[in-house]
């Protein structure tokens, strides 16, 4: 699309917003802000929908987001941002300076998932790629990161067009490898808070697969969980299935271990502290009459507090070793417990004061009924890492409704679940999801850097 064709609507939008932001009185100002942001979102929408379809049909796996990062970099450059690429992998950092004032970071993730899209949408992904293990997989934006990117670009364009209404610095970032839980740490390690303006606040949003399009969800405190992956190798002494007394059977020991692990949450963690221990995979043996030498278990652990996380991991180590000891395994055949450190995700903690401010801005912008208080979940989000550096920067992630409201109502009536995030059927409703996201993110940033707030 050429620059000239976009110029006139942008100017009209900017003028509208400037006019209405200066309206006297809190109520009329917020009504006017809503109207002007809505008008602006309507003008931008055709262009944003094209961008959304492009991103949706060109998904890239975690750590392979090269073209996606380039596209986001181009969009930000065109909007007037100074842009750096290759930050922590394929990460993108755009900076827009606009006088003295707070620095606000807005983050989108860039990566997609190895899922074969089955939505039947006309713009469904047909992309195939080779994953890090060399396997050919189909790729889909099944977690809505294409919506997040589109919203970030829309908010960047809106905010850049009304620079007279706010003062401060915007840092807009495209983060790689969210699905691996490593992208935020990579960007931080590559100087996100030292090479670029250090934020006073960090904002992000994520689509929600059971929240109606057109609404937003807010939550103070813990919003998403600590995510840990644990591998356990239960070792035994293999042999003939008819001579069990000559062996140490790792299958029986693995079965005992799986059951014992269930008592960590039910008997050891305080009842008020949420935690999950799931054994998602168990593999051992080759044939009916062979007792194998080992069995592999794969676990996912979820929690909110650092203390419960540490308590759960310690209990797993203690129980697996204790049961192996009880089975009579020698010291050199004790189980091996390995914690995946590179791809772990820390719990997402929404700074309560920041979330309250942002939620207040949403209520003024959209009305109370559109802003839903949502419950914490045990999914993971590495946006949490931006609030866990020494600076302890307040961060806030809010939810964006993305599902056809009729389907949400039907699901509530029938009890039939809607496709979740990461499902091959997950199909966000672009309109009004993208418009609402742009308005919400713009409103949240203006709440923090706006001149007349
Ligand atoms: Zn995801
Ligand atoms: Zn996601």
């Amino acid at each position: 699309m050429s620059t000239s064709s976009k110029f006139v609507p942008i100017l009209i939008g900017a003028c509208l917003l400037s006019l209405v932001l200066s309206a006297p009185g809190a109520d009329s100002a917020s009504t006017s802000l809503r109207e002007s942001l809505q008008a602006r979102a309507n003008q931008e929408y055709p262009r944003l929908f094209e961008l959304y379809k492009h991103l949706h049909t060109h998904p890239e796996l975690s750590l392979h987001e090269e073209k996606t990062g380039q596209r986001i970099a181009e969009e930000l450059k065109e909007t007037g941002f100074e842009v750096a690429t290759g930050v922590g992998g394929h990460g993108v950092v755009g900076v827009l300076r606009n006088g003295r004032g707070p620095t606000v970071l807005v983050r989108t993730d860039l990566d997609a998932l190895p899922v074969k899209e089955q939505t039947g949408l006309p713009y469904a992904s047909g992309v195939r790629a080779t994953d890090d293990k060399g396997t050919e997989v189909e790729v889909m934006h099944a977690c809505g990161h294409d919506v997040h990117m589109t919203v970030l670009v829309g908010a960047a364009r809106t905010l850049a067009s009304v620079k007279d209404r706010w003062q401060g610095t915007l840092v807009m970032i495209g983060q790689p490898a969210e699905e691996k839980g490593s992208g935020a740490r990579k960007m931080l390690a590559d100087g996100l808070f030292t090479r670029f303006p250090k934020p006073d606040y960090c904002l992000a949003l994520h689509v929600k697969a059971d929240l109606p399009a057109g609404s937003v969800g807010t939550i103070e405190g813990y919003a998403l969980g600590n995510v840990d992956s644990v591998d356990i190798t239960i070792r035994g002494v293999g042999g003939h299935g008819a001579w069990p007394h000559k062996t140490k059977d790792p299958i029986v020991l693995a079965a005992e271990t799986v059951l014992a692990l269930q008592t960590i949450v039910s008997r050891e963690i305080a009842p008020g502290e949420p935690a999950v221990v799931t054994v998602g995979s168990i593999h051992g043996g080759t044939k009916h009459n062979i007792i194998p030498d080992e069995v592999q278990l794969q676990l996912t652990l979820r929690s909110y507090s650092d203390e419960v996380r540490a308590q759960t991991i310690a209990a797993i180590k203690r129980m697996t070793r204790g049961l192996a000891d009880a089975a009579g395994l020698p010291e050199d055949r004790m189980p091996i417990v390995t914690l995946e450190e590179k791809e772990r995700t820390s719990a997402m903690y929404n700074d309560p004061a920041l979330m309250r401010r942002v939620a207040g801005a949403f209520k003024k912008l959209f009305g109370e009924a559109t802003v839903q208080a949502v419950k914490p979940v045990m999914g993971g989000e590495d946006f949490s890492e931006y609030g866990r550096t020494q600076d302890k920067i307040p961060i806030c992630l809010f939810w964006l409704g993305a599902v056809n409201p009729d389907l949400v109502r039907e699901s509530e009536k029938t009890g039939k679940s809607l496709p979740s995030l990461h499902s091959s059927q997950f199909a966000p409703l672009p309109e009004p999801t993208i418009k609402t996201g742009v308005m919400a993110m713009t409103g949240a940033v203006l709440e923090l850097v706006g001149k007349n707030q």
Side-chain angles (χ1 to χ4, degrees), residues 1 3-16 39-47 157 161:
M1 191 185 275
T3 313
S4 55
S5 64
K6 286 172 284 184
F7 195 55
V8 173
I10 290 167
L11 268 182
I12 295 169
C15 294
L16 264 175
R40 174 80 197 170
N42 291 345
Q43 286 155 14
E44 283 286 337
Y45 183 73
R47 185 185 194 281
R157 292 174 61 79
S161 71

Side-chain angles (χ1 to χ4, degrees), residues 230-232 234 254 257-258 261 279 281-282 295-299:
V230 175
D231 288 275
I232 303 176
I234 307 269
T257 304
V258 170
L261 295 178
V279 180
S281 159
I282 176 165
V295 174
Q296 303 286 344
L297 304 181
Q298 292 183 305
L299 284 69

Side-chain angles (χ1 to χ4, degrees), residues 354-367:
L354 177 59
M355 183 77 256
R356 269 196 292 278
R357 259 185 98 175
V358 168
F362 289 164
K363 284 174 186 165
K364 277 192 261 172
L365 196 56
F366 298 116

Side-chain angles (χ1 to χ4, degrees), residues 289-367:
N289 59 354
I290 300 173
I291 292 170
D293 283 321
E294 61 180 45
V295 174
Q296 303 286 344
L297 304 181
Q298 292 183 305
L299 284 69
T300 188
L301 315 183
R302 309 290 162 119
S303 57
Y304 291 122
S305 74
D306 288 349
E307 293 74 23
V308 169
R309 172 179 183 265
Q311 188 187 355
T312 307
I313 293 165
I316 288 169
K317 289 181 177 166
R318 191 194 74 235
M319 284 182 176
T320 47
R321 188 182 168 84
L323 287 165
D325 196 30
L329 267 301
E331 186 60 33
D332 64 351
R333 298 298 290 162
M334 283 290 137
I336 303 166
V337 178
T338 315
L339 193 64
E340 174 53 74
E341 286 291 350
K342 275 193 196 146
E343 296 186 1
R344 62 166 294 238
T345 308
S346 305
M348 174 63 233
Y349 184 79
N350 273 337
D351 180 79
L354 177 59
M355 183 77 256
R356 269 196 292 278
R357 259 185 98 175
V358 168
F362 289 164
K363 284 174 186 165
K364 277 192 261 172
L365 196 56
F366 298 116

Side-chain angles (χ1 to χ4, degrees), residues 130-135:
T130 307
D131 70 10
D132 292 332
K133 290 180 187 139
T135 312

Side-chain angles (χ1 to χ4, degrees), residues 12-28:
I12 295 169
C15 294
L16 264 175
L17 191 52
S18 305
L19 262 176
V20 292
L21 276 174
S22 57
D27 286 347
S28 60

Side-chain angles (χ1 to χ4, degrees), residues 92-110:
V92 177
V93 181
V95 178
L96 187 67
R97 292 172 212 269
N98 189 26
R100 288 167 67 88
T103 296
V104 180
L105 180 147
V106 180
R107 174 271 218 170
T108 178
D109 25 26
L110 302 171

